[in-house]
Amino acid sequence: MPGALKTGECVALSPEQANYLLNVLRLREGARVLTFNGRDGEFEASLAQISKKSVALQIEKHLRPQEYPWDIDYLFAPLKHARLDYVSQKAVEMGVRRICPVITRQTQVSRVNIERLRANAREAAEQCGVIWLAEIVEERPLARALADVPEDRVLVYCDEDAPNGRTVASLAAYAAPTAVSLLVGPEGGFDEAERALILRAPNVCRLSLGPRILRADTAAVAALALIQAYWGDWR
Ligand code: SAM
């Protein structure tokens, strides 16, 4: 829900939301739903049908205060449509706070459909029961994205050339960081100049994800699982 949410208020839904509740979920006047806007927490609400096509939500009860995920930025070279949908959904399920497409030399797509990323992130939030909306950052060139990583943030660089068998040890070298930026390369990998630039970044942690070359979306989920298990909200 874009607008502010407050108990007792009546909030009009967008035509898409009204269509989804009336025609997809086949809900009727008085039906109870849970709603959130990523700022005010979660509320219980009931459907108030205004007209054949327009619906409002009567906000009934505040259920839980706003929650935010642990501070993980997911920096990745955007993939083609279906796989971009997949990685944005998985990133939310894995508890990422910001989704940050990064343009590299071997990136498959030069323009990113930010609205599509946002819609996927919202859908994933609804499905996995979280009440925050991952922030979608406009695509940036790699050098800019690296320069924007604050020095006190650990940059976890998924590096297929990192020494194998040291995955846990490479994470153990950092005592419970408060914020992490995860970097996953394009299908074609980073070129030598890009690799050198990444390795010159302050606080870079080279992470091996084992002896096999993983596809970029698999690497993202594997690395996020390690980060959450080792430093994050799976502990
Ligand atoms: N560079 C490879 C190439 O030349 O074909 C493959 C790139 S891989 C498909 C895409 C990205 O996934 C890599 O840039 C890296 O960030 C990550 N990745 C894949 N396998 C990995 C591994 N075993 N360890 C660490 N990162 C890996």
Side-chain angles (χ1 to χ4, degrees):
M1 296 288 290
L5 293 177
K6 226 160 126 214
T7 305
E9 303 238 327
C10 198
V11 182
L13 294 181
S14 68
E16 298 75 30
Q17 290 168 323
N19 173 57
Y20 179 68
L21 294 179
L22 294 179
N23 305 320
V24 180
L25 298 184
R26 300 201 169 287
L27 298 180
R28 290 292 165 260
E29 178 125 11
R32 309 188 82 71
V33 294
L34 299 179
T35 187
F36 66 97
N37 61 3
R39 296 186 306 280
D40 305 319
E42 184 179 45
F43 292 80
E44 187 177 300
S46 60
L47 250 66
Q49 184 129 17
I50 303 174
S51 72
K52 206 161 178 324
K53 286 214 170 121
S54 63
V55 173
L57 284 185
Q58 184 59 46
I59 309 298
E60 313 269 358
K61 203 163 129 202
H62 192 205
L63 296 176
R64 50 180 163 145
Q66 187 54 45
E67 300 157 357
Y68 294 98
W70 186 58
D71 197 346
I72 306 176
D73 284 3
Y74 168 45
L75 282 64
F76 67 106
L79 304 162
K80 292 217 173 101
H81 282 333
R83 296 183 59 223
L84 190 63
D85 297 347
Y86 175 86
V87 283
S88 52
Q89 288 165 10
K90 298 306 139 195
V92 171
E93 288 176 50
M94 297 303 285
V96 157
R97 186 180 287 201
R98 282 177 218 88
I99 296 177
C100 316
V102 172
I103 305 300
T104 70
R105 294 236 171 76
Q106 311 232 33
T107 299
Q108 293 171 321
V109 293
S110 54
R111 296 272 324 122
V112 179
N113 183 334
I114 295 293
E115 255 330 295
R116 186 183 176 123
L117 270 180
R118 200 165 279 132
N120 274 295
R122 194 173 39 243
E123 205 184 301
E126 286 163 4
Q127 266 153 19
C128 68
V130 298
I131 58 169
W132 67 73
L133 295 171
E135 184 190 337
I136 311 294
V137 177
E138 290 276 334
E139 69 263 28
R140 294 166 292 177
L142 177 67
R144 198 40 209 288
L146 291 173
D148 290 346
V149 177
E151 298 227 349
D152 61 353
R153 222 180 155 85
V154 176
L155 175 66
V156 177
Y157 163 35
C158 290
D159 181 1
E160 59 271 36
D161 297 329
N164 183 30
R166 296 197 43 73
T167 302
V168 171
S170 51
L171 296 175
Y174 296 83
T178 52
V180 165
S181 292
L182 169 67
L183 177 62
V184 179
E187 286 310 329
F190 292 111
D191 69 14
E192 278 321 304
E194 290 171 331
R195 274 178 58 75
L197 185 66
I198 298 164
L199 294 174
R200 279 202 302 277
N203 236 349
V204 62
C205 164
R206 295 177 67 196
L207 186 69
S208 165
L209 296 170
R212 287 168 297 283
I213 297 291
L214 309 178
R215 298 201 72 180
D217 42 2
T218 316
V221 177
L224 287 166
L226 284 163
I227 288 169
Q228 289 293 20
Y230 218 78
W231 294 326
D233 61 16
W234 291 8
R235 284 183 308 163

